[in-house]
Amino acid sequence: EVHLVESGGGLVQPGRSLRLSCAASGFAFDDYAMHWVRQAPGKGLEWVSGISWRSGTILYADSVKGRFTISRDNAKNSLYLQMNGLRVDDTALYYCAKVRYSGSWGYGMDGWGQGTTVTVSS
Amino acid sequence: DIQMTQSPSSLSASVGDRVTITCRASQSISSFLNWYQKKPGTAPKLLIYAASSLESGVPSSFSGSGSGTDFTLTISSLQPGDFATYYCQQSYTAPFTFGPGTKVDIK
């Protein structure tokens, strides 16, 4: 069974940094691309970033490009999101998610963690 | 970037009702369209992928159709556990945008 556990969220001042982690188990982590998706309070889902199985392809939403960096350590079955220059509108619940099929972005995200909350406020 | 729209934004329905939600992409996305169910306090759940493929474990009361720019999620007989917000998402090209959601609540 796919198990994803996010950590690293918290309260941070605007302009500061935070690093989120996602620990994966129950599947061959190094075979699958992974995503970060967020949901701001009272808002809908927003795709943030994705990384291919060997980190060869890295993708970002325009809203975080240049500020956030996604990475993964397949030896540790872990996904990361380094968030720099945080803004108030980055406040959200951040989920990591697994793509449905290895080797493809195209078929949705079939495994999700429970999320970690990031609050950006002075 | 591909923009996703959904209609309606919310609807009220009764148990047993047939419910249809539409999703439109700003350009053709072939069949790279997925549907998720989201309940408060829980993670999103994949219902339908590739426009019409039912995810394992999802009741057959859920179905999806469409291709190109216009897609539909249908719940043939609404059950108590189906009251939630539903999101479409395109996985044709990054950024992998979600629609704004359709909230289904109890009439």
Side-chain angles (χ1 to χ4, degrees), chain A residues 8-43:
Chain A
L11 173 63
V12 62
Q13 293 178 326
R16 305 300 291 264
S17 299
L18 213 53
R19 189 194 196 207
L20 305 185
S21 299
C22 171
S25 60
F27 67 102
F29 179 74
D30 53 3
D31 280 349
Y32 291 86
M34 298 290 294
H35 295 279
W36 288 99
V37 175
R38 68 185 181 184
Q39 185 172 33
K43 302 296 185 181

PDB file of all heavy atoms in Angstrom, chain A residues 8-43:
ATOM      1  N   GLY A   8       7.757  19.012   7.859  1.00  0.00           N
ATOM      2  CA  GLY A   8       8.552  20.211   7.646  1.00  0.00           C
ATOM      3  C   GLY A   8       7.771  21.508   7.600  1.00  0.00           C
ATOM      4  O   GLY A   8       8.360  22.589   7.521  1.00  0.00           O
ATOM      5  N   GLY A   9       6.459  21.416   7.632  1.00  0.00           N
ATOM      6  CA  GLY A   9       5.660  22.630   7.607  1.00  0.00           C
ATOM      7  C   GLY A   9       5.765  23.401   8.916  1.00  0.00           C
ATOM      8  O   GLY A   9       6.327  22.912   9.896  1.00  0.00           O
ATOM      9  N   GLY A  10       5.232  24.600   8.895  1.00  0.00           N
ATOM     10  CA  GLY A  10       5.255  25.409  10.101  1.00  0.00           C
ATOM     11  C   GLY A  10       4.923  26.855   9.807  1.00  0.00           C
ATOM     12  O   GLY A  10       4.527  27.202   8.691  1.00  0.00           O
ATOM     13  N   LEU A  11       5.098  27.677  10.833  1.00  0.00           N
ATOM     14  CA  LEU A  11       4.852  29.116  10.717  1.00  0.00           C
ATOM     15  C   LEU A  11       6.169  29.818  10.416  1.00  0.00           C
ATOM     16  O   LEU A  11       7.166  29.613  11.121  1.00  0.00           O
ATOM     17  CB  LEU A  11       4.254  29.646  12.027  1.00  0.00           C
ATOM     18  CG  LEU A  11       4.092  31.166  12.148  1.00  0.00           C
ATOM     19  CD1 LEU A  11       3.113  31.680  11.110  1.00  0.00           C
ATOM     20  CD2 LEU A  11       3.624  31.527  13.557  1.00  0.00           C
ATOM     21  N   VAL A  12       6.188  30.632   9.376  1.00  0.00           N
ATOM     22  CA  VAL A  12       7.412  31.304   8.969  1.00  0.00           C
ATOM     23  C   VAL A  12       7.079  32.724   8.510  1.00  0.00           C
ATOM     24  O   VAL A  12       5.976  32.974   8.015  1.00  0.00           O
ATOM     25  CB  VAL A  12       8.115  30.498   7.849  1.00  0.00           C
ATOM     26  CG1 VAL A  12       7.250  30.408   6.609  1.00  0.00           C
ATOM     27  CG2 VAL A  12       9.494  31.033   7.542  1.00  0.00           C
ATOM     28  N   GLN A  13       8.020  33.622   8.696  1.00  0.00           N
ATOM     29  CA  GLN A  13       7.803  35.007   8.286  1.00  0.00           C
ATOM     30  C   GLN A  13       8.001  35.175   6.785  1.00  0.00           C
ATOM     31  O   GLN A  13       8.761  34.409   6.162  1.00  0.00           O
ATOM     32  CB  GLN A  13       8.777  35.923   9.025  1.00  0.00           C
ATOM     33  CG  GLN A  13       8.527  36.013  10.517  1.00  0.00           C
ATOM     34  CD  GLN A  13       9.561  36.896  11.200  1.00  0.00           C
ATOM     35  OE1 GLN A  13      10.724  36.957  10.822  1.00  0.00           O
ATOM     36  NE2 GLN A  13       9.125  37.591  12.251  1.00  0.00           N
ATOM     37  N   PRO A  14       7.345  36.143   6.194  1.00  0.00           N
ATOM     38  CA  PRO A  14       7.554  36.404   4.754  1.00  0.00           C
ATOM     39  C   PRO A  14       9.036  36.615   4.455  1.00  0.00           C
ATOM     40  O   PRO A  14       9.758  37.263   5.231  1.00  0.00           O
ATOM     41  CB  PRO A  14       6.748  37.678   4.517  1.00  0.00           C
ATOM     42  CG  PRO A  14       5.685  37.657   5.562  1.00  0.00           C
ATOM     43  CD  PRO A  14       6.321  37.036   6.772  1.00  0.00           C
ATOM     44  N   GLY A  15       9.466  36.058   3.330  1.00  0.00           N
ATOM     45  CA  GLY A  15      10.858  36.181   2.912  1.00  0.00           C
ATOM     46  C   GLY A  15      11.767  35.067   3.416  1.00  0.00           C
ATOM     47  O   GLY A  15      12.869  34.895   2.886  1.00  0.00           O
ATOM     48  N   ARG A  16      11.298  34.320   4.384  1.00  0.00           N
ATOM     49  CA  ARG A  16      12.118  33.250   4.945  1.00  0.00           C
ATOM     50  C   ARG A  16      11.976  31.960   4.139  1.00  0.00           C
ATOM     51  O   ARG A  16      11.263  31.918   3.121  1.00  0.00           O
ATOM     52  CB  ARG A  16      11.750  33.013   6.415  1.00  0.00           C
ATOM     53  CG  ARG A  16      11.841  34.239   7.284  1.00  0.00           C
ATOM     54  CD  ARG A  16      13.254  34.820   7.314  1.00  0.00           C
ATOM     55  NE  ARG A  16      14.199  33.969   8.009  1.00  0.00           N
ATOM     56  CZ  ARG A  16      14.543  34.116   9.287  1.00  0.00           C
ATOM     57  NH1 ARG A  16      13.965  35.065  10.023  1.00  0.00           N
ATOM     58  NH2 ARG A  16      15.445  33.319   9.841  1.00  0.00           N
ATOM     59  N   SER A  17      12.661  30.918   4.592  1.00  0.00           N
ATOM     60  CA  SER A  17      12.699  29.650   3.870  1.00  0.00           C
ATOM     61  C   SER A  17      12.159  28.515   4.720  1.00  0.00           C
ATOM     62  O   SER A  17      12.133  28.606   5.955  1.00  0.00           O
ATOM     63  CB  SER A  17      14.139  29.321   3.459  1.00  0.00           C
ATOM     64  OG  SER A  17      14.670  30.309   2.608  1.00  0.00           O
ATOM     65  N   LEU A  18      11.783  27.460   4.035  1.00  0.00           N
ATOM     66  CA  LEU A  18      11.292  26.247   4.679  1.00  0.00           C
ATOM     67  C   LEU A  18      11.575  25.089   3.743  1.00  0.00           C
ATOM     68  O   LEU A  18      11.542  25.254   2.510  1.00  0.00           O
ATOM     69  CB  LEU A  18       9.787  26.374   4.939  1.00  0.00           C
ATOM     70  CG  LEU A  18       9.131  25.733   6.150  1.00  0.00           C
ATOM     71  CD1 LEU A  18       9.828  26.146   7.453  1.00  0.00           C
ATOM     72  CD2 LEU A  18       7.658  26.109   6.202  1.00  0.00           C
ATOM     73  N   ARG A  19      11.859  23.925   4.295  1.00  0.00           N
ATOM     74  CA  ARG A  19      12.073  22.742   3.478  1.00  0.00           C
ATOM     75  C   ARG A  19      11.075  21.676   3.880  1.00  0.00           C
ATOM     76  O   ARG A  19      11.069  21.230   5.040  1.00  0.00           O
ATOM     77  CB  ARG A  19      13.493  22.207   3.648  1.00  0.00           C
ATOM     78  CG  ARG A  19      13.836  21.096   2.661  1.00  0.00           C
ATOM     79  CD  ARG A  19      15.089  20.377   3.067  1.00  0.00           C
ATOM     80  NE  ARG A  19      15.659  19.579   1.978  1.00  0.00           N
ATOM     81  CZ  ARG A  19      16.414  18.497   2.166  1.00  0.00           C
ATOM     82  NH1 ARG A  19      16.690  18.092   3.380  1.00  0.00           N
ATOM     83  NH2 ARG A  19      16.912  17.837   1.129  1.00  0.00           N
ATOM     84  N   LEU A  20      10.263  21.250   2.927  1.00  0.00           N
ATOM     85  CA  LEU A  20       9.317  20.179   3.157  1.00  0.00           C
ATOM     86  C   LEU A  20       9.932  18.856   2.738  1.00  0.00           C
ATOM     87  O   LEU A  20      10.717  18.791   1.789  1.00  0.00           O
ATOM     88  CB  LEU A  20       8.035  20.418   2.366  1.00  0.00           C
ATOM     89  CG  LEU A  20       7.325  21.751   2.572  1.00  0.00           C
ATOM     90  CD1 LEU A  20       6.017  21.759   1.791  1.00  0.00           C
ATOM     91  CD2 LEU A  20       7.091  22.045   4.036  1.00  0.00           C
ATOM     92  N   SER A  21       9.540  17.803   3.436  1.00  0.00           N
ATOM     93  CA  SER A  21       9.970  16.450   3.095  1.00  0.00           C
ATOM     94  C   SER A  21       8.755  15.556   2.939  1.00  0.00           C
ATOM     95  O   SER A  21       7.695  15.814   3.517  1.00  0.00           O
ATOM     96  CB  SER A  21      10.880  15.877   4.183  1.00  0.00           C
ATOM     97  OG  SER A  21      12.041  16.647   4.343  1.00  0.00           O
ATOM     98  N   CYS A  22       8.923  14.527   2.153  1.00  0.00           N
ATOM     99  CA  CYS A  22       7.870  13.526   1.956  1.00  0.00           C
ATOM    100  C   CYS A  22       8.542  12.158   1.978  1.00  0.00           C
ATOM    101  O   CYS A  22       9.369  11.865   1.105  1.00  0.00           O
ATOM    102  CB  CYS A  22       7.155  13.764   0.640  1.00  0.00           C
ATOM    103  SG  CYS A  22       6.003  12.466   0.146  1.00  0.00           S
ATOM    104  N   ALA A  23       8.217  11.356   2.977  1.00  0.00           N
ATOM    105  CA  ALA A  23       8.767  10.005   3.096  1.00  0.00           C
ATOM    106  C   ALA A  23       7.807   9.029   2.441  1.00  0.00           C
ATOM    107  O   ALA A  23       6.616   9.008   2.773  1.00  0.00           O
ATOM    108  CB  ALA A  23       8.978   9.666   4.563  1.00  0.00           C
ATOM    109  N   ALA A  24       8.341   8.219   1.532  1.00  0.00           N
ATOM    110  CA  ALA A  24       7.515   7.293   0.757  1.00  0.00           C
ATOM    111  C   ALA A  24       7.797   5.857   1.146  1.00  0.00           C
ATOM    112  O   ALA A  24       8.943   5.487   1.434  1.00  0.00           O
ATOM    113  CB  ALA A  24       7.775   7.493  -0.727  1.00  0.00           C
ATOM    114  N   SER A  25       6.763   5.040   1.112  1.00  0.00           N
ATOM    115  CA  SER A  25       6.909   3.607   1.344  1.00  0.00           C
ATOM    116  C   SER A  25       5.756   2.886   0.666  1.00  0.00           C
ATOM    117  O   SER A  25       4.761   3.498   0.278  1.00  0.00           O
ATOM    118  CB  SER A  25       6.937   3.294   2.845  1.00  0.00           C
ATOM    119  OG  SER A  25       5.748   3.709   3.468  1.00  0.00           O
ATOM    120  N   GLY A  26       5.944   1.566   0.514  1.00  0.00           N
ATOM    121  CA  GLY A  26       4.868   0.755  -0.047  1.00  0.00           C
ATOM    122  C   GLY A  26       4.875   0.644  -1.559  1.00  0.00           C
ATOM    123  O   GLY A  26       3.979  -0.001  -2.125  1.00  0.00           O
ATOM    124  N   PHE A  27       5.833   1.251  -2.204  1.00  0.00           N
ATOM    125  CA  PHE A  27       5.950   1.149  -3.656  1.00  0.00           C
ATOM    126  C   PHE A  27       7.403   1.433  -4.042  1.00  0.00           C
ATOM    127  O   PHE A  27       8.191   1.909  -3.225  1.00  0.00           O
ATOM    128  CB  PHE A  27       4.999   2.114  -4.367  1.00  0.00           C
ATOM    129  CG  PHE A  27       5.304   3.576  -4.179  1.00  0.00           C
ATOM    130  CD1 PHE A  27       5.931   4.315  -5.166  1.00  0.00           C
ATOM    131  CD2 PHE A  27       4.963   4.227  -2.996  1.00  0.00           C
ATOM    132  CE1 PHE A  27       6.205   5.668  -4.989  1.00  0.00           C
ATOM    133  CE2 PHE A  27       5.227   5.566  -2.798  1.00  0.00           C
ATOM    134  CZ  PHE A  27       5.861   6.291  -3.801  1.00  0.00           C
ATOM    135  N   ALA A  28       7.732   1.144  -5.284  1.00  0.00           N
ATOM    136  CA  ALA A  28       9.099   1.357  -5.782  1.00  0.00           C
ATOM    137  C   ALA A  28       9.281   2.835  -6.100  1.00  0.00           C
ATOM    138  O   ALA A  28       9.099   3.280  -7.241  1.00  0.00           O
ATOM    139  CB  ALA A  28       9.334   0.494  -7.008  1.00  0.00           C
ATOM    140  N   PHE A  29       9.650   3.593  -5.082  1.00  0.00           N
ATOM    141  CA  PHE A  29       9.718   5.047  -5.190  1.00  0.00           C
ATOM    142  C   PHE A  29      10.530   5.496  -6.400  1.00  0.00           C
ATOM    143  O   PHE A  29      10.150   6.425  -7.117  1.00  0.00           O
ATOM    144  CB  PHE A  29      10.324   5.605  -3.899  1.00  0.00           C
ATOM    145  CG  PHE A  29      10.468   7.104  -3.873  1.00  0.00           C
ATOM    146  CD1 PHE A  29       9.382   7.928  -3.704  1.00  0.00           C
ATOM    147  CD2 PHE A  29      11.737   7.684  -4.006  1.00  0.00           C
ATOM    148  CE1 PHE A  29       9.521   9.307  -3.668  1.00  0.00           C
ATOM    149  CE2 PHE A  29      11.887   9.063  -3.978  1.00  0.00           C
ATOM    150  CZ  PHE A  29      10.774   9.877  -3.806  1.00  0.00           C
ATOM    151  N   ASP A  30      11.646   4.825  -6.660  1.00  0.00           N
ATOM    152  CA  ASP A  30      12.531   5.290  -7.725  1.00  0.00           C
ATOM    153  C   ASP A  30      11.996   4.996  -9.125  1.00  0.00           C
ATOM    154  O   ASP A  30      12.635   5.337 -10.116  1.00  0.00           O
ATOM    155  CB  ASP A  30      13.949   4.747  -7.546  1.00  0.00           C
ATOM    156  CG  ASP A  30      13.996   3.246  -7.391  1.00  0.00           C
ATOM    157  OD1 ASP A  30      12.927   2.604  -7.482  1.00  0.00           O
ATOM    158  OD2 ASP A  30      15.096   2.705  -7.176  1.00  0.00           O
ATOM    159  N   ASP A  31      10.837   4.388  -9.225  1.00  0.00           N
ATOM    160  CA  ASP A  31      10.214   4.142 -10.533  1.00  0.00           C
ATOM    161  C   ASP A  31       9.198   5.198 -10.929  1.00  0.00           C
ATOM    162  O   ASP A  31       8.694   5.185 -12.051  1.00  0.00           O
ATOM    163  CB  ASP A  31       9.504   2.786 -10.537  1.00  0.00           C
ATOM    164  CG  ASP A  31      10.454   1.627 -10.758  1.00  0.00           C
ATOM    165  OD1 ASP A  31      11.621   1.873 -11.122  1.00  0.00           O
ATOM    166  OD2 ASP A  31      10.023   0.469 -10.558  1.00  0.00           O
ATOM    167  N   TYR A  32       8.860   6.091  -9.991  1.00  0.00           N
ATOM    168  CA  TYR A  32       7.717   6.975 -10.207  1.00  0.00           C
ATOM    169  C   TYR A  32       8.088   8.451 -10.100  1.00  0.00           C
ATOM    170  O   TYR A  32       8.813   8.861  -9.184  1.00  0.00           O
ATOM    171  CB  TYR A  32       6.614   6.680  -9.187  1.00  0.00           C
ATOM    172  CG  TYR A  32       5.953   5.358  -9.408  1.00  0.00           C
ATOM    173  CD1 TYR A  32       6.498   4.194  -8.867  1.00  0.00           C
ATOM    174  CD2 TYR A  32       4.790   5.262 -10.168  1.00  0.00           C
ATOM    175  CE1 TYR A  32       5.897   2.968  -9.094  1.00  0.00           C
ATOM    176  CE2 TYR A  32       4.188   4.037 -10.392  1.00  0.00           C
ATOM    177  CZ  TYR A  32       4.747   2.896  -9.853  1.00  0.00           C
ATOM    178  OH  TYR A  32       4.149   1.685 -10.078  1.00  0.00           O
ATOM    179  N   ALA A  33       7.518   9.238 -11.013  1.00  0.00           N
ATOM    180  CA  ALA A  33       7.568  10.684 -10.849  1.00  0.00           C
ATOM    181  C   ALA A  33       6.700  11.079  -9.658  1.00  0.00           C
ATOM    182  O   ALA A  33       5.777  10.349  -9.278  1.00  0.00           O
ATOM    183  CB  ALA A  33       7.076  11.380 -12.113  1.00  0.00           C
ATOM    184  N   MET A  34       7.007  12.226  -9.096  1.00  0.00           N
ATOM    185  CA  MET A  34       6.298  12.711  -7.921  1.00  0.00           C
ATOM    186  C   MET A  34       5.935  14.178  -8.103  1.00  0.00           C
ATOM    187  O   MET A  34       6.576  14.918  -8.861  1.00  0.00           O
ATOM    188  CB  MET A  34       7.175  12.560  -6.676  1.00  0.00           C
ATOM    189  CG  MET A  34       7.554  11.132  -6.327  1.00  0.00           C
ATOM    190  SD  MET A  34       6.182  10.131  -5.741  1.00  0.00           S
ATOM    191  CE  MET A  34       5.770  10.954  -4.183  1.00  0.00           C
ATOM    192  N   HIS A  35       4.890  14.589  -7.384  1.00  0.00           N
ATOM    193  CA  HIS A  35       4.415  15.964  -7.442  1.00  0.00           C
ATOM    194  C   HIS A  35       4.279  16.555  -6.050  1.00  0.00           C
ATOM    195  O   HIS A  35       4.110  15.833  -5.064  1.00  0.00           O
ATOM    196  CB  HIS A  35       3.016  16.029  -8.077  1.00  0.00           C
ATOM    197  CG  HIS A  35       2.921  15.632  -9.490  1.00  0.00           C
ATOM    198  ND1 HIS A  35       3.243  16.462 -10.544  1.00  0.00           N
ATOM    199  CD2 HIS A  35       2.476  14.464 -10.055  1.00  0.00           C
ATOM    200  CE1 HIS A  35       3.006  15.844 -11.684  1.00  0.00           C
ATOM    201  NE2 HIS A  35       2.544  14.628 -11.422  1.00  0.00           N
ATOM    202  N   TRP A  36       4.278  17.875  -6.010  1.00  0.00           N
ATOM    203  CA  TRP A  36       3.774  18.638  -4.867  1.00  0.00           C
ATOM    204  C   TRP A  36       2.536  19.415  -5.338  1.00  0.00           C
ATOM    205  O   TRP A  36       2.552  20.044  -6.411  1.00  0.00           O
ATOM    206  CB  TRP A  36       4.806  19.617  -4.328  1.00  0.00           C
ATOM    207  CG  TRP A  36       5.937  18.983  -3.596  1.00  0.00           C
ATOM    208  CD1 TRP A  36       7.192  18.697  -4.077  1.00  0.00           C
ATOM    209  CD2 TRP A  36       5.930  18.547  -2.223  1.00  0.00           C
ATOM    210  NE1 TRP A  36       7.963  18.120  -3.095  1.00  0.00           N
ATOM    211  CE2 TRP A  36       7.210  18.014  -1.948  1.00  0.00           C
ATOM    212  CE3 TRP A  36       4.987  18.566  -1.185  1.00  0.00           C
ATOM    213  CZ2 TRP A  36       7.570  17.506  -0.685  1.00  0.00           C
ATOM    214  CZ3 TRP A  36       5.333  18.056   0.049  1.00  0.00           C
ATOM    215  CH2 TRP A  36       6.604  17.535   0.291  1.00  0.00           C
ATOM    216  N   VAL A  37       1.493  19.331  -4.527  1.00  0.00           N
ATOM    217  CA  VAL A  37       0.229  20.032  -4.796  1.00  0.00           C
ATOM    218  C   VAL A  37      -0.162  20.740  -3.505  1.00  0.00           C
ATOM    219  O   VAL A  37       0.045  20.192  -2.422  1.00  0.00           O
ATOM    220  CB  VAL A  37      -0.884  19.031  -5.206  1.00  0.00           C
ATOM    221  CG1 VAL A  37      -2.228  19.734  -5.360  1.00  0.00           C
ATOM    222  CG2 VAL A  37      -0.498  18.310  -6.498  1.00  0.00           C
ATOM    223  N   ARG A  38      -0.720  21.919  -3.621  1.00  0.00           N
ATOM    224  CA  ARG A  38      -1.105  22.645  -2.406  1.00  0.00           C
ATOM    225  C   ARG A  38      -2.554  23.105  -2.461  1.00  0.00           C
ATOM    226  O   ARG A  38      -3.153  23.192  -3.537  1.00  0.00           O
ATOM    227  CB  ARG A  38      -0.180  23.838  -2.170  1.00  0.00           C
ATOM    228  CG  ARG A  38      -0.301  24.965  -3.186  1.00  0.00           C
ATOM    229  CD  ARG A  38       0.767  26.040  -2.913  1.00  0.00           C
ATOM    230  NE  ARG A  38       0.677  27.154  -3.847  1.00  0.00           N
ATOM    231  CZ  ARG A  38       1.525  28.179  -3.871  1.00  0.00           C
ATOM    232  NH1 ARG A  38       2.547  28.232  -3.012  1.00  0.00           N
ATOM    233  NH2 ARG A  38       1.373  29.149  -4.760  1.00  0.00           N
ATOM    234  N   GLN A  39      -3.086  23.380  -1.276  1.00  0.00           N
ATOM    235  CA  GLN A  39      -4.432  23.918  -1.158  1.00  0.00           C
ATOM    236  C   GLN A  39      -4.420  25.022  -0.113  1.00  0.00           C
ATOM    237  O   GLN A  39      -4.232  24.745   1.075  1.00  0.00           O
ATOM    238  CB  GLN A  39      -5.448  22.837  -0.785  1.00  0.00           C
ATOM    239  CG  GLN A  39      -6.879  23.363  -0.784  1.00  0.00           C
ATOM    240  CD  GLN A  39      -7.918  22.278  -0.597  1.00  0.00           C
ATOM    241  OE1 GLN A  39      -7.690  21.288   0.094  1.00  0.00           O
ATOM    242  NE2 GLN A  39      -9.077  22.455  -1.211  1.00  0.00           N
ATOM    243  N   ALA A  40      -4.602  26.243  -0.561  1.00  0.00           N
ATOM    244  CA  ALA A  40      -4.690  27.369   0.347  1.00  0.00           C
ATOM    245  C   ALA A  40      -6.018  27.318   1.089  1.00  0.00           C
ATOM    246  O   ALA A  40      -6.988  26.724   0.595  1.00  0.00           O
ATOM    247  CB  ALA A  40      -4.560  28.676  -0.425  1.00  0.00           C
ATOM    248  N   PRO A  41      -6.086  27.922   2.264  1.00  0.00           N
ATOM    249  CA  PRO A  41      -7.325  27.893   3.048  1.00  0.00           C
ATOM    250  C   PRO A  41      -8.521  28.407   2.241  1.00  0.00           C
ATOM    251  O   PRO A  41      -8.488  29.504   1.682  1.00  0.00           O
ATOM    252  CB  PRO A  41      -7.016  28.818   4.225  1.00  0.00           C
ATOM    253  CG  PRO A  41      -5.532  28.758   4.365  1.00  0.00           C
ATOM    254  CD  PRO A  41      -5.004  28.628   2.965  1.00  0.00           C
ATOM    255  N   GLY A  42      -9.551  27.579   2.154  1.00  0.00           N
ATOM    256  CA  GLY A  42     -10.763  27.969   1.446  1.00  0.00           C
ATOM    257  C   GLY A  42     -10.656  27.989  -0.058  1.00  0.00           C
ATOM    258  O   GLY A  42     -11.594  28.426  -0.741  1.00  0.00           O
ATOM    259  N   LYS A  43      -9.543  27.528  -0.586  1.00  0.00           N
ATOM    260  CA  LYS A  43      -9.321  27.560  -2.037  1.00  0.00           C
ATOM    261  C   LYS A  43      -9.234  26.147  -2.611  1.00  0.00           C
ATOM    262  O   LYS A  43      -9.333  25.152  -1.880  1.00  0.00           O
ATOM    263  CB  LYS A  43      -8.015  28.312  -2.347  1.00  0.00           C
ATOM    264  CG  LYS A  43      -7.978  29.732  -1.812  1.00  0.00           C
ATOM    265  CD  LYS A  43      -9.023  30.614  -2.458  1.00  0.00           C
ATOM    266  CE  LYS A  43      -8.879  32.057  -1.985  1.00  0.00           C
ATOM    267  NZ  LYS A  43      -9.920  32.929  -2.589  1.00  0.00           N
TER     268      LYS A  43
END
